[in-house]
Amino acid sequence: MRKQARSDRETPIVRRREVLGLPAALVCGSAVLTGCGAVQQAGNAATPTPAPTPEQMPVTPPEDLMREHGVLKRVLLIYREGIRRINAGEQVPAQPLHAGAGIIRTFIEEYHEQLEERYVFPRLVKAGKLTDTVPVLVQQHRRGRVLTGRILDVTAKPTPQQARRDLVTNMAAFIRMYEPHEAREDTVVFPAMRDVIPPKEFAEMAETFEDEEHRRFGAAGFTGVVGQVADIEKMLGIYDLKQFTPRV
């Protein structure tokens, strides 16, 4: 039943290599251009070339990293719901919290953060940009992995009473650190990538990111991970977006 529901959420996968290339070729084809939407053919006949659909437009490296932050934000909401229930004296939702922490471990820490540390941070430091910020971000990655390990350990089995407070403390610390962490990256770090990475390498980096995504997470890639997060939200009753709308 869940497998069917997830497949309904998934969208067709468009490989970046199918649409990335020379900027002009992306919009109007690879022939000699006479203007956007037309190419010069033999006999001077102009043949319109349709613009790519939204599904065919390439995902740039900053956009890729930012949408992965969207997954992180949704798991932070899962943690918040766990904290709310524990503080209210309810049963610890160990299974959903463990699943959320598992996504943090595999998708954020072992994939997303590895991309940042391997491809983004070194380029910024080499260019002399954000040299005070990058070391803090790296340290926060390391501290986050410690907190995730603790959350995974505690939620792997029924949570004893004495561990409830520590679980709340660790989830709250993770939220407090990663909200400003991801905001700084989205507004400062990722925009700075365009200043230090040439366009050709920018396109190659997009390919590298995509290849690694599908190598680790299969054909569905990012979409499949979003589906997993949605399943956890439904288990906790926090999937319906309308419930967060305030009455004013």
Side-chain angles (χ1 to χ4, degrees), residues 2-218:
R2 180 173 298 174
K3 182 177 181 181
Q4 178 63 40
R6 181 170 299 162
S7 65
D8 292 340
R9 285 191 299 268
E10 293 174 0
T11 57
I13 298 168
V14 179
R15 304 288 290 179
R16 292 187 188 91
R17 63 175 57 93
E18 296 174 1
V19 289
L20 277 172
L22 295 174
L26 171 65
V27 179
C28 302
S30 58
V32 179
L33 303 178
T34 60
C36 187
V39 295
Q40 187 69 34
Q41 304 286 354
N44 295 323
T47 302
T49 301
T53 64
E55 292 80 8
Q56 294 173 322
M57 292 300 292
V59 178
T60 64
E63 180 187 356
D64 215 350
L65 295 168
M66 287 179 184
R67 69 178 188 169
E68 289 163 8
H69 275 176
V71 171
L72 172 59
K73 290 183 177 76
R74 289 176 71 167
V75 177
L76 297 186
L77 291 174
I78 290 169
Y79 282 1
R80 286 190 186 281
E81 175 63 13
I83 292 172
R84 185 196 69 77
R85 293 190 182 194
I86 295 171
N87 287 340
E90 300 178 23
Q91 183 177 355
V92 176
Q95 182 180 355
L97 293 178
H98 189 79
I103 290 173
I104 292 290
R105 173 53 52 86
T106 59
F107 188 71
I108 298 300
E109 296 173 348
E110 295 179 350
Y111 167 65
H112 171 90
E113 291 179 352
Q114 293 299 319
L115 294 181
E116 293 176 336
E117 293 179 10
R118 182 174 181 182
Y119 297 102
V120 180
F121 296 166
R123 298 300 298 269
L124 294 172
V125 172
K126 183 178 180 180
K129 286 183 173 289
L130 305 177
T131 54
D132 292 335
T133 303
V134 167
V136 176
L137 297 174
V138 173
Q139 182 186 46
Q140 290 180 342
H141 286 177
R142 293 170 181 165
R143 297 284 172 84
R145 290 162 195 156
V146 172
L147 294 173
T148 299
R150 294 174 181 174
I151 296 167
L152 285 169
D153 288 344
V154 171
T155 57
K157 52 189 179 299
T159 307
Q161 186 68 30
Q162 62 269 25
R164 291 164 63 99
R165 179 172 296 182
D166 289 341
L167 177 58
V168 167
T169 298
N170 288 321
M171 290 191 295
F174 192 92
I175 293 169
R176 186 177 187 275
M177 180 173 67
Y178 268 97
E179 284 182 336
H181 178 101
E182 64 182 3
R184 189 67 57 90
E185 288 184 339
D186 285 347
T187 58
V188 178
V189 176
F190 299 157
M193 293 170 64
R194 295 183 180 274
D195 297 332
V196 302
I197 301 175
K200 183 176 183 296
E201 293 183 33
F202 209 67
E204 292 171 351
M205 183 179 293
E207 277 296 296
T208 299
F209 284 12
E210 182 193 32
D211 288 343
E212 183 66 12
E213 174 187 316
H214 291 293
R215 184 184 74 81
R216 287 176 176 264
F217 304 104

